[in-house]
Amino acid sequence: MFEGLDDIDWSLLEHAYGTAEEIPGLLRALRSPHSEERSKALDRYYSAVHHQGDVYPSTAASLPFLFELAADSATPDRAAVVALLVSIGRESLERGFADDGTEIEYYPPAGFAQAASFLRARGAEFAELARDPDPNVSLAAVPGLGVFLDDAGRAAALLRERLAAERGIAARLRILDAAAVLALRLPAASPHVMDWLTQLAAAPALGPVTRLAALIQRARCTPHEIGEDVLPAAVALLRENIGVLPVQPIAPASSRPPVPTQGVAPQIVAAFEDLDHSTRVYALTTGLLRTFHDVLAGRVAERTAVLAEQLASPDPGTRLDAVRMSGELMRTWRGDHTHLLMLVAGQLTTDDLEVAAGAVGVLETCHPIADPAREALAAYVDAQRTAHGPDVWAAPEARLRKSHQAAVRALARLGDARALPSLLAALDGDVDTWRAIQVTRYLPQAAGELVPRLGDHLRRIDLSQEWTTMSANAILSALAALGDPAAVDVVADALRAAARHEQHGVTASALRTLEAFGPAAADVREAIRSLTTHTDAHIRPAAVAALWAVGANPAETMPLLLDLLDDPITFRIREAADVLAEIGPPASAALPRLRERLTHGYEWVRVPCAAALWAIGGQSEAPAVLDALLQAMGENPATANAVVACLDRMGALAAPALPLLHKQLAQPQRGNGFQTLENDEELQRLASTLISRLDSPTSTPAARR
C-alpha cells in the first residue's frame, strides 16, 4: 500500500492552507491502529484537502491512495474513507462541469475534472464496495452507484437489490436518493428508475417513509411534470410517518474543544457557535424533505402545506428542522407568508426551548414581514419575564437565555417598545450586551433611555485594543440610527481616540455617525476637517461626507469630492457621488466628471454617478441617466434597489423603465439570490409604488413639474 506516495513532490501542490506536504502523513494516519489519530487525520483532510467541498490538484493526486485504503479490508474506518471518496466525486461532478458537460476552467487550476475522471473510471469497483460484507462500507458506497457507475442497468439492479435487503430507514433513504441521482445523470437509466420509484410509492407494504422517499425522488427526476396528486399524497404520507418515526428529545450537541475567546470579539465567537449549531440535522427525514422543497422551488403554497405537516409533528427535532426550512423559504421566495409566519410563531408555546429559540430566530431574520407574529412574540417575552424574573436576559440556563434573547431581538426589530425592559436590563448588565446593542437601532422612540447607556458602553471601550473594533462600530452604528444629538460629545471623543490609536475602522464609523447627526455636530467640524486628507481608503471619503453634513459650504467640499471622483478606488467614487447628490444643483462643477463615470466598467460606480447626475442636472440629464440605470440593473440585479430609488425620484421620466419594473416584480425569487429579504421587500414596495404612479393617467412630465 502507498507505493509511489513519496514519489510525488507534494511541496509543489497546495490545499486550502498552503503546501500539501502533509498529505502523505494524513493518508498513513488513516490506517493507524489508534482511533484518535485516524479521527484527527480525517478531520484535517476535510478541513484542508477537501475544504468546504473544494477539490484541489493535491486532492485529486491523493485519490489513488484513498482508494487503496477503501478497498483493503484491513483498513480501520473504511466506511469513512468511502464516504470521503463519494464526497470528493460528488463535488467534482457538480462543480467541475457546466450543464452541457464541458469542463469549467478555474484559476488557479482546480482538481474537479481530474478527480471525476479517476472516480468514474472506478465505478465498477464502487459496485463491489456496495456489496461489501461490512454493512457500513456498503452503505457508504451506495451513493457512488448513482454518481460514478456508468453501467445504468447494473447500477439500477444493485440499488434494487440493496433496497430489498435493507430494513433501516436511513439506509433506504440513501438508496432511493442514489436512484434519483442515477436517473438524472444517465438518461438511459431514467425510465426504468422512474417506473421503479412509481411502483415503490404505491406499495403500502413498504411503509410510509419509504413510500414518501420514492414519491419525492420520482418528482425530483421530472420536476416539471409534478401532478396535482403529488402534494396530497406527500401530506398523507407525512401524517402516516407520525406513527412510524421515533419521537425523542433533541440531543445535546457533541462536545467540541472550546472556541478561544481571548482577544476575539464576542460577535465572532457567537457566529462560529451559531454556524456549528445551524448545520446540525435533527430528524431522519430532513434531508429527504429538503430535496422535496428544492424540487417544489417557488411553489410557495405547496411548500407551506408540507411545512405545516412538518411543524405539526410530535417530534421536536422534526419541528426544529421544519422551522429552519420555513425561514429558508421566506427568505428566498416571495409570496404571502402570513400563514407560515403564524405556524412558526405557534412553536413559541412548545415546552422545548430549542424549538422555541429556533422559531424566534426565524422571526428575527424575517422581521420585515414578521408583523403578524408581533403579539405572539410579545406574549412569549412577557411570559418569560413573568416566570423567570426581569433578569431572564442573563438567565444561567443557556437554552432559556438564548430563547429569550432571540425573542427580545425579534420584537425589537419590529420596533415594538415591549422589548425595551429586557434591552435595558442587558445594557445595564454584563451578559451578552452586544446582542442588545445590535437591535437598539430599531427603537428610536426610546432614544432617551438608550442613548445614555450606549454612550456609557462606548466610553468604556479601550480603543488601544484591536479586538474592540467590532464592539465600538456596533455602538456607533446604533447611535447613528437613533440620531439623537445628545450623543455628539461621546462620538466626538471616540473619533479622537480612534484616530489617535490608528483604529481606522472605528474612525470611519465615528465619522459616519457624526454625518448622521448633521448640523448638530457642527462643533466637531475641525476634528472632521483634519481627516479629509487622511491616507486610509475609508476614512477620507467618510470625513468629506461628514464635513458636508455638519455644515460645510460647497466651496470647501467640492474640491475634495472632485478629487474622490478621480480616485481609482471604486467605493470612493461611489461615496463621493452620494454626497454630490445631496448637494444637488450647487454641485454642477461635477457634471462633466459624472458623465464620464457613466462609462465606467463597474455598475456600482455607474449607478450612484447616474443618481448624482440626476440630482444635480435634472431633466436635461434624464436620457443618459435612464440608460445607465437600466443597463446596470439588467447586468446586476443587486443594483435594483438603488436603481429603482433613483427612478422613483425621476418620476414620469422613468416611464421607459416600466417593462423592467414589471419583470422585476414578476419574478418569484428574491433578487435571484442577490437580495436579502429586507432589501427585497423594500424593492417590491418601491417598484409597486412607482408602477402605480407611472401607470396613472395623470403621470406625465408636465404633471410632475
Side-chain angles (χ1 to χ4, degrees), residues 96-453:
F97 300 89
D99 292 339
D100 61 2
T102 58
E103 181 182 343
I104 298 174
E105 293 187 9
Y106 286 86
Y107 186 81
F112 293 120
Q114 183 183 349
S117 176
F118 175 86
L119 291 168
R120 290 183 68 177
R122 281 154 182 78
E125 294 169 69
F126 265 99
E128 294 305 314
L129 287 170
R131 282 179 160 169
D132 196 274
D134 184 333
N136 293 323
V137 171
S138 61
L139 187 58
V142 161
L145 300 177
V147 176
F148 306 127
L149 190 57
D150 288 333
D151 185 337
R154 186 181 182 191
L158 280 169
L159 290 169
R160 284 175 178 264
E161 176 186 310
R162 283 304 313 270
L163 188 73
E166 190 59 67
R167 294 293 175 265
I169 290 176
R172 287 188 159 210
L173 294 178
R174 186 176 295 191
I175 292 165
L176 294 177
D177 177 81
V181 171
L182 178 68
L184 290 167
R185 184 172 66 87
L186 298 178
S190 183
H192 305 292
V193 169
M194 289 192 292
D195 286 346
W196 179 46
L197 292 173
T198 301
Q199 294 167 16
L200 294 174
L206 290 176
V209 180
T210 303
R211 293 173 60 201
L212 178 65
L215 180 76
I216 290 173
Q217 299 297 354
R218 173 66 176 80
R220 176 184 177 189
C221 293
T222 53
H224 55 285
E225 296 178 6
I226 295 177
E228 295 181 358
D229 59 329
V230 171
L231 183 66
V235 168
L237 289 168
L238 277 171
R239 290 174 182 166
E240 286 187 49
N241 285 345
I242 291 175
V244 175
L245 294 172
V247 175
Q248 52 194 11
I250 292 175
S254 57
S255 59
R256 292 177 179 269
V259 179
T261 58
Q262 185 64 35
V264 180
Q267 297 94 319
I268 299 295
V269 176
F272 276 101
E273 291 175 349
D274 289 345
L275 179 63
D276 182 55
H277 187 76
S278 66
T279 55
R280 295 185 66 200
V281 174
Y282 297 91
L284 277 173
T285 55
T286 292
L288 173 67
L289 291 170
R290 281 192 182 281
T291 296
F292 196 30
H293 285 290
D294 289 343
V295 169
L296 292 173
R299 303 183 192 199
V300 171
E302 289 91 335
R303 290 181 66 178
T304 299
V306 174
L307 286 166
E309 293 302 319
Q310 294 175 247
L311 290 166
S313 171
D315 177 54
T318 298
R319 297 200 310 277
L320 180 52
D321 287 340
V323 161
R324 292 175 176 175
M325 291 185 210
S326 299
E328 292 163 10
L329 171 60
M330 292 186 285
R331 290 190 296 269
T332 307
W333 296 93
R334 294 171 174 174
D336 183 357
H337 295 298
T338 303
H339 179 51
L340 186 55
L341 283 165
M342 296 311 297
L343 289 173
V344 171
Q347 299 300 315
L348 300 182
T349 59
T350 180
D351 292 332
D352 195 297
L353 288 173
E354 287 276 6
V355 178
V360 291
V362 165
L363 295 175
E364 181 185 354
T365 59
C366 296
H367 68 91
I369 60 172
D371 196 68
R374 178 191 297 267
E375 294 308 315
L377 276 169
Y380 184 67
V381 169
D382 183 63
Q384 287 185 320
R385 288 178 61 84
T386 300
H388 303 285
D391 295 326
V392 63
W393 177 278
E397 208 282 299
R399 292 183 303 170
L400 172 61
R401 184 172 68 249
K402 178 182 177 182
S403 67
H404 182 73
Q405 290 179 0
V408 169
R409 286 165 55 91
L411 193 59
R413 285 181 182 271
L414 294 174
D416 197 305
R418 287 173 286 187
L420 189 60
S422 287
L423 292 180
L424 295 180
L427 293 172
D428 292 339
D430 196 29
V431 176
D432 295 336
T433 306
W434 64 273
R435 293 185 186 274
I437 289 170
Q438 288 182 335
V439 296
T440 53
R441 62 187 299 118
Y442 297 97
L443 296 171
Q445 69 271 38
E449 294 180 271
L450 293 170
V451 167
R453 289 173 167 87

Side-chain angles (χ1 to χ4, degrees), residues 629-698:
L629 293 175
L630 298 186
Q631 184 182 52
M633 187 170 165
E635 291 176 7
N636 184 356
T639 63
N641 285 64
V643 168
V644 175
C646 185
L647 292 173
D648 185 62
R649 293 190 291 272
M650 294 178 71
L653 293 174
L658 271 171
L660 190 58
L661 292 171
H662 281 292
K663 181 181 178 181
Q664 172 59 237
L665 284 185
Q667 68 179 31
Q669 197 167 7
R670 296 192 187 276
N672 294 320
F674 291 101
Q675 292 280 43
T676 64
L677 185 152
E678 187 169 10
N679 285 346
D680 186 69
E681 287 295 311
E682 176 66 9
L683 174 61
Q684 291 183 73
R685 185 190 66 78
L686 281 173
S688 297
T689 302
L690 181 54
I691 287 171
S692 296
R693 285 169 45 206
L694 293 176
D695 283 340
S696 169
T698 59

Side-chain angles (χ1 to χ4, degrees), residues 46 439 527 580:
Y46 271 107
V439 296
L580 289 166

Side-chain angles (χ1 to χ4, degrees), residues 552-559:
N553 59 57
E556 180 179 11
T557 52
M558 281 301 298

